[in-house]
Amino acid sequence: MKFICLSPVFINRRNRFLGSFCLTAAVFAVAGGFLFSRPAQEAQEPVLAKLLSKLSAYAARLEGSVLDFVCREEISETINYALDQVRSRPDIISNWAVGGAFGMSWVGRPAAKEKDAYVYDYQCVRDKNRAVRETRTLLKENGKPANEPGTGLKTQNFVFGTPLLGPVGIFAQRFQSAYTYRIIGHDKVGKTPAVVIEAEPLYDMPGTTNLYGKAWVGPDDGEILKIEWSDARIGNRAVFEERAGRYKLKPRITLRSEFSAEKNGIRFPSKLWIEEAYVTERGRAYVRSETTVAYTDFKFFTVEVDVR
């Protein structure tokens, strides 16, 4: 067992600060598996500062954007009700935690799973007053053709809006003083190289709903390629906490957005992935639900930027 002292690059806008800490680890991996030594981390500081400046400028453009576009929205939702079936049988949960297989027949029959798929014609409009309007027309439900204009999301577990404006809450200039940023590694999104930047709140802000997490950013242009959101401020978190209490497990909600579509310097969501899992004390995770959303066939009517 080795003691490895690291100095990851911490930057906040109130007081630029380099912090250090020691981790006890035999192997330390971050993002793409890179281990930053102390000199390497110090060398990364100007890189991080430059990227944060670019991300702040991008957030300003995004916040000042006027948008009108349509695309195809394909949603797949899977819910596994196994834990709901056995929540009154702690002995069964314990046995599963030791080594049981997902989907096994704990109550004499396979665990109930529900799978649904929806295809929507999705339109998003953001006007000059920065008001966002989303409309959907259901085109297909579980493989069957449909034509339901003005319908809402039919997903049961998560109701979500476009993650398009999510980067504003993390990287806008006025919010940067509330976070500590650090480079935690390098990775690729598809074939595109990326720097992974982690944002963590400096302090708790009651009533704040801005999500935060890790962003995969282009090393040269600062474009946001992917964000993995922390679940600390997820909406309806009380629902998952209540379920976790009944299951006697810990909740773990994973949210990930990818941004591959681009128009006039604005990146649009191409994929959203949400996983609802509950974790045992031994670290085994039971996935209760998974929702994937793919956005394709974009048609842009208006993509304008007015930075105020």
Side-chain angles (χ1 to χ4, degrees):
M1 189 71 70
K2 297 181 180 179
F3 290 85
I4 305 173
C5 289
L6 306 176
S7 283
V9 182
F10 289 105
I11 292 185
N12 66 66
R13 288 318 203 204
R14 283 189 310 184
N15 51 352
R16 300 171 67 85
F17 169 71
L18 279 173
S20 63
F21 63 93
C22 289
L23 293 178
T24 304
V27 178
F28 182 80
V30 284
F34 290 83
L35 175 64
F36 289 140
S37 65
R38 184 170 184 170
Q41 283 287 359
E42 291 175 348
Q44 292 287 347
E45 182 184 4
V47 175
L48 178 57
K50 186 176 181 180
L51 286 173
L52 287 175
S53 177
K54 291 182 177 181
L55 289 165
S56 173
Y58 175 74
R61 295 198 307 274
L62 183 58
E63 196 168 21
S65 61
V66 176
L67 307 169
D68 186 353
F69 68 91
V70 297
C71 66
R72 184 181 180 92
E73 181 183 50
E74 298 184 35
I75 302 173
S76 175
E77 181 184 58
T78 301
I79 302 176
N80 188 334
Y81 293 102
L83 276 183
D84 300 88
Q85 291 177 340
V86 301
R87 65 179 184 270
S88 61
R89 298 277 303 278
D91 58 316
I92 294 178
I93 294 178
S94 177
N95 291 335
W96 162 77
V98 171
F102 297 146
M104 67 181 291
S105 182
W106 292 321
V107 289
R109 58 187 176 84
K113 281 189 178 181
E114 184 172 350
K115 296 183 179 181
D116 292 295
Y118 310 96
V119 178
Y120 294 92
D121 182 70
Y122 169 77
Q123 181 175 25
C124 180
V125 177
R126 190 170 192 266
D127 61 30
K128 294 182 178 180
N129 295 319
R130 301 183 176 180
V132 177
R133 184 177 74 256
E134 296 178 295
T135 57
R136 288 177 171 86
T137 297
L138 181 64
L139 302 179
K140 191 178 293 186
E141 181 173 354
N142 294 327
K144 297 181 180 179
N147 184 13
E148 298 181 23
T151 186
L153 282 170
K154 292 196 173 186
T155 52
Q156 298 183 53
N157 219 33
F158 291 95
V159 177
F160 49 86
T162 174
L164 173 66
L165 298 173
V168 172
I170 308 177
F171 296 114
Q173 183 65 45
R174 68 183 184 280
F175 294 130
Q176 287 194 9
S177 63
Y179 297 101
T180 292
Y181 302 92
R182 61 175 181 161
I183 294 176
I184 61 172
H186 295 83
D187 199 0
K188 286 186 176 181
V189 179
K191 296 182 179 180
T192 305
V195 177
V196 186
I197 299 176
E198 184 177 58
E200 292 185 340
L202 284 171
Y203 44 81
D204 185 41
M205 296 179 290
T208 299
T209 58
N210 288 356
L211 297 179
Y212 60 90
K214 295 181 291 187
W216 280 249
V217 178
D220 299 319
D221 51 28
E223 291 194 349
I224 296 176
L225 307 172
K226 181 171 74 172
I227 298 178
E228 186 171 296
W229 308 93
S230 167
D231 65 353
R233 295 173 179 167
I234 186 174
N236 295 327
R237 184 175 177 83
V239 173
F240 307 114
E241 294 285 358
E242 187 274 334
R243 281 180 187 157
R246 285 190 284 116
Y247 302 156
K248 295 181 173 58
L249 301 174
K250 293 183 179 180
R252 187 190 70 193
I253 312 301
T254 306
L255 304 92
R256 191 176 300 139
S257 306
E258 294 184 12
F259 304 83
S260 63
E262 186 273 336
K263 181 71 173 179
N264 294 352
I266 300 295
R267 280 192 167 267
F268 294 82
S270 55
K271 188 175 182 180
L272 176 65
W273 180 73
I274 310 172
E275 180 187 81
E276 175 199 4
Y278 297 88
V279 185
T280 70
E281 292 183 355
R282 299 189 179 192
R284 290 182 177 273
Y286 168 80
V287 178
R288 183 184 184 274
S289 71
E290 182 179 25
T291 304
T292 60
V293 187
Y295 299 94
T296 59
D297 300 336
F298 283 86
K299 296 179 182 178
F300 299 99
F301 304 112
T302 304
V303 180
E304 299 175 353
V305 175
D306 179 20
V307 180
R308 301 175 184 177

PDB file of all heavy atoms in Angstrom, residues 201-215:
ATOM      1  N   PRO A 201     -19.575  22.173  -5.635  1.00  0.00           N
ATOM      2  CA  PRO A 201     -19.963  23.384  -4.903  1.00  0.00           C
ATOM      3  C   PRO A 201     -18.996  23.663  -3.752  1.00  0.00           C
ATOM      4  O   PRO A 201     -18.551  22.747  -3.066  1.00  0.00           O
ATOM      5  CB  PRO A 201     -21.363  23.057  -4.380  1.00  0.00           C
ATOM      6  CG  PRO A 201     -21.843  21.912  -5.208  1.00  0.00           C
ATOM      7  CD  PRO A 201     -20.621  21.135  -5.587  1.00  0.00           C
ATOM      8  N   LEU A 202     -18.673  24.940  -3.542  1.00  0.00           N
ATOM      9  CA  LEU A 202     -17.841  25.331  -2.409  1.00  0.00           C
ATOM     10  C   LEU A 202     -18.616  25.262  -1.106  1.00  0.00           C
ATOM     11  O   LEU A 202     -18.051  25.049  -0.044  1.00  0.00           O
ATOM     12  CB  LEU A 202     -17.315  26.754  -2.611  1.00  0.00           C
ATOM     13  CG  LEU A 202     -16.173  26.893  -3.619  1.00  0.00           C
ATOM     14  CD1 LEU A 202     -15.900  28.360  -3.899  1.00  0.00           C
ATOM     15  CD2 LEU A 202     -14.922  26.222  -3.100  1.00  0.00           C
ATOM     16  N   TYR A 203     -19.925  25.458  -1.212  1.00  0.00           N
ATOM     17  CA  TYR A 203     -20.763  25.444  -0.018  1.00  0.00           C
ATOM     18  C   TYR A 203     -22.187  25.124  -0.448  1.00  0.00           C
ATOM     19  O   TYR A 203     -22.533  25.232  -1.625  1.00  0.00           O
ATOM     20  CB  TYR A 203     -20.717  26.804   0.694  1.00  0.00           C
ATOM     21  CG  TYR A 203     -20.824  27.982  -0.242  1.00  0.00           C
ATOM     22  CD1 TYR A 203     -22.065  28.406  -0.729  1.00  0.00           C
ATOM     23  CD2 TYR A 203     -19.683  28.646  -0.674  1.00  0.00           C
ATOM     24  CE1 TYR A 203     -22.159  29.461  -1.601  1.00  0.00           C
ATOM     25  CE2 TYR A 203     -19.773  29.713  -1.558  1.00  0.00           C
ATOM     26  CZ  TYR A 203     -21.008  30.123  -2.014  1.00  0.00           C
ATOM     27  OH  TYR A 203     -21.091  31.179  -2.897  1.00  0.00           O
ATOM     28  N   ASP A 204     -22.994  24.717   0.508  1.00  0.00           N
ATOM     29  CA  ASP A 204     -24.380  24.398   0.215  1.00  0.00           C
ATOM     30  C   ASP A 204     -25.173  25.682   0.029  1.00  0.00           C
ATOM     31  O   ASP A 204     -25.024  26.635   0.794  1.00  0.00           O
ATOM     32  CB  ASP A 204     -24.993  23.582   1.346  1.00  0.00           C
ATOM     33  CG  ASP A 204     -26.410  23.136   1.013  1.00  0.00           C
ATOM     34  OD1 ASP A 204     -26.641  22.745  -0.146  1.00  0.00           O
ATOM     35  OD2 ASP A 204     -27.272  23.180   1.897  1.00  0.00           O
ATOM     36  N   MET A 205     -25.982  25.715  -1.024  1.00  0.00           N
ATOM     37  CA  MET A 205     -26.799  26.882  -1.308  1.00  0.00           C
ATOM     38  C   MET A 205     -28.267  26.461  -1.260  1.00  0.00           C
ATOM     39  O   MET A 205     -28.785  25.907  -2.227  1.00  0.00           O
ATOM     40  CB  MET A 205     -26.443  27.468  -2.673  1.00  0.00           C
ATOM     41  CG  MET A 205     -25.028  27.999  -2.763  1.00  0.00           C
ATOM     42  SD  MET A 205     -24.630  28.675  -4.400  1.00  0.00           S
ATOM     43  CE  MET A 205     -24.568  27.169  -5.384  1.00  0.00           C
ATOM     44  N   PRO A 206     -28.940  26.655  -0.119  1.00  0.00           N
ATOM     45  CA  PRO A 206     -30.346  26.237   0.009  1.00  0.00           C
ATOM     46  C   PRO A 206     -31.209  26.828  -1.103  1.00  0.00           C
ATOM     47  O   PRO A 206     -31.102  28.013  -1.431  1.00  0.00           O
ATOM     48  CB  PRO A 206     -30.740  26.787   1.385  1.00  0.00           C
ATOM     49  CG  PRO A 206     -29.459  26.908   2.131  1.00  0.00           C
ATOM     50  CD  PRO A 206     -28.426  27.295   1.103  1.00  0.00           C
ATOM     51  N   GLY A 207     -32.039  25.984  -1.675  1.00  0.00           N
ATOM     52  CA  GLY A 207     -32.943  26.451  -2.726  1.00  0.00           C
ATOM     53  C   GLY A 207     -32.333  26.459  -4.108  1.00  0.00           C
ATOM     54  O   GLY A 207     -33.034  26.690  -5.101  1.00  0.00           O
ATOM     55  N   THR A 208     -31.018  26.216  -4.220  1.00  0.00           N
ATOM     56  CA  THR A 208     -30.371  26.220  -5.527  1.00  0.00           C
ATOM     57  C   THR A 208     -30.655  24.918  -6.254  1.00  0.00           C
ATOM     58  O   THR A 208     -30.503  23.834  -5.690  1.00  0.00           O
ATOM     59  CB  THR A 208     -28.838  26.396  -5.379  1.00  0.00           C
ATOM     60  OG1 THR A 208     -28.582  27.637  -4.741  1.00  0.00           O
ATOM     61  CG2 THR A 208     -28.168  26.386  -6.738  1.00  0.00           C
ATOM     62  N   THR A 209     -31.075  25.033  -7.496  1.00  0.00           N
ATOM     63  CA  THR A 209     -31.408  23.839  -8.274  1.00  0.00           C
ATOM     64  C   THR A 209     -30.422  23.589  -9.407  1.00  0.00           C
ATOM     65  O   THR A 209     -30.603  22.642 -10.178  1.00  0.00           O
ATOM     66  CB  THR A 209     -32.830  23.975  -8.869  1.00  0.00           C
ATOM     67  OG1 THR A 209     -32.892  25.166  -9.683  1.00  0.00           O
ATOM     68  CG2 THR A 209     -33.869  24.055  -7.774  1.00  0.00           C
ATOM     69  N   ASN A 210     -29.398  24.438  -9.542  1.00  0.00           N
ATOM     70  CA  ASN A 210     -28.406  24.227 -10.593  1.00  0.00           C
ATOM     71  C   ASN A 210     -27.733  22.874 -10.409  1.00  0.00           C
ATOM     72  O   ASN A 210     -27.197  22.574  -9.346  1.00  0.00           O
ATOM     73  CB  ASN A 210     -27.334  25.313 -10.548  1.00  0.00           C
ATOM     74  CG  ASN A 210     -27.847  26.654 -11.028  1.00  0.00           C
ATOM     75  OD1 ASN A 210     -28.990  26.766 -11.461  1.00  0.00           O
ATOM     76  ND2 ASN A 210     -27.011  27.662 -10.956  1.00  0.00           N
ATOM     77  N   LEU A 211     -27.761  22.061 -11.460  1.00  0.00           N
ATOM     78  CA  LEU A 211     -27.040  20.799 -11.408  1.00  0.00           C
ATOM     79  C   LEU A 211     -25.550  21.058 -11.651  1.00  0.00           C
ATOM     80  O   LEU A 211     -25.168  22.090 -12.192  1.00  0.00           O
ATOM     81  CB  LEU A 211     -27.583  19.842 -12.463  1.00  0.00           C
ATOM     82  CG  LEU A 211     -29.039  19.407 -12.309  1.00  0.00           C
ATOM     83  CD1 LEU A 211     -29.422  18.466 -13.448  1.00  0.00           C
ATOM     84  CD2 LEU A 211     -29.274  18.727 -10.976  1.00  0.00           C
ATOM     85  N   TYR A 212     -24.739  20.125 -11.247  1.00  0.00           N
ATOM     86  CA  TYR A 212     -23.298  20.233 -11.455  1.00  0.00           C
ATOM     87  C   TYR A 212     -22.746  18.835 -11.637  1.00  0.00           C
ATOM     88  O   TYR A 212     -23.463  17.844 -11.495  1.00  0.00           O
ATOM     89  CB  TYR A 212     -22.621  20.943 -10.279  1.00  0.00           C
ATOM     90  CG  TYR A 212     -22.803  20.234  -8.953  1.00  0.00           C
ATOM     91  CD1 TYR A 212     -21.902  19.272  -8.520  1.00  0.00           C
ATOM     92  CD2 TYR A 212     -23.902  20.506  -8.137  1.00  0.00           C
ATOM     93  CE1 TYR A 212     -22.084  18.603  -7.318  1.00  0.00           C
ATOM     94  CE2 TYR A 212     -24.090  19.851  -6.928  1.00  0.00           C
ATOM     95  CZ  TYR A 212     -23.168  18.899  -6.526  1.00  0.00           C
ATOM     96  OH  TYR A 212     -23.346  18.242  -5.336  1.00  0.00           O
ATOM     97  N   GLY A 213     -21.456  18.728 -11.950  1.00  0.00           N
ATOM     98  CA  GLY A 213     -20.884  17.400 -12.134  1.00  0.00           C
ATOM     99  C   GLY A 213     -19.575  17.467 -12.881  1.00  0.00           C
ATOM    100  O   GLY A 213     -18.746  18.337 -12.636  1.00  0.00           O
ATOM    101  N   LYS A 214     -19.399  16.541 -13.842  1.00  0.00           N
ATOM    102  CA  LYS A 214     -18.170  16.453 -14.623  1.00  0.00           C
ATOM    103  C   LYS A 214     -18.492  16.740 -16.090  1.00  0.00           C
ATOM    104  O   LYS A 214     -19.467  16.222 -16.629  1.00  0.00           O
ATOM    105  CB  LYS A 214     -17.547  15.066 -14.487  1.00  0.00           C
ATOM    106  CG  LYS A 214     -17.082  14.737 -13.079  1.00  0.00           C
ATOM    107  CD  LYS A 214     -16.437  13.358 -13.005  1.00  0.00           C
ATOM    108  CE  LYS A 214     -17.443  12.249 -13.196  1.00  0.00           C
ATOM    109  NZ  LYS A 214     -16.854  10.898 -12.968  1.00  0.00           N
ATOM    110  N   ALA A 215     -17.629  17.542 -16.727  1.00  0.00           N
ATOM    111  CA  ALA A 215     -17.831  17.900 -18.127  1.00  0.00           C
ATOM    112  C   ALA A 215     -16.642  17.442 -18.954  1.00  0.00           C
ATOM    113  O   ALA A 215     -15.484  17.636 -18.553  1.00  0.00           O
ATOM    114  CB  ALA A 215     -18.033  19.408 -18.272  1.00  0.00           C
TER     115      ALA A 215
END
